[in-house]
């Protein structure tokens, strides 16, 4: 199952595109990140995507596909 959560701890299970868009659109001071992750106790590894809004309004996007060797990130203004 997928789950999205933000810095305030709000969580949405199996989020639709609209919930993901709304979560990212609501990022700001005091609510600077959102994480989409697979929550599945039967699968080894970590799978997630996260976005972080920095104070200079740049966004950092990270993606992990199961292992530390498969962890990617980029930052954009």
């Amino acid at each position: 199952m997928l789950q999205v959560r933000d810095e305030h701890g709000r969580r949405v299970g199996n989020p639709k595109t609209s919930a993901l868009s709304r979560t990212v659109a609501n990022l700001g001071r005091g609510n600077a990140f959102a994480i989409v992750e697979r929550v599945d106790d039967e699968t080894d590894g970590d799978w997630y995507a996260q976005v972080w809004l920095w104070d200079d309004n740049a966004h950092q996007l990270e993606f992990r596909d199961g292992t530390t060797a498969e962890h990617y990130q980029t930052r954009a203004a």
Side-chain angles (χ1 to χ4, degrees), residues 49-67:
Q50 63 185 11
V51 62
W52 185 280
L53 178 64
W54 292 94
D55 289 338
D56 63 1
N57 287 325
H59 286 78
Q60 182 169 323
L61 178 65
E62 295 186 18
F63 171 72
R64 182 167 175 155
D65 192 11
T67 67

Side-chain angles (χ1 to χ4, degrees), residues 10-39:
R10 290 182 286 237
R11 298 174 188 267
V12 176
N14 288 323
K16 295 184 179 191
T17 303
S18 59
L20 294 173
S21 296
R22 190 171 43 256
T23 300
V24 172
N26 287 331
L27 294 180
R29 287 205 166 101
N31 188 35
F33 67 82
I35 302 170
V36 179
E37 58 193 333
R38 186 168 80 186
V39 266

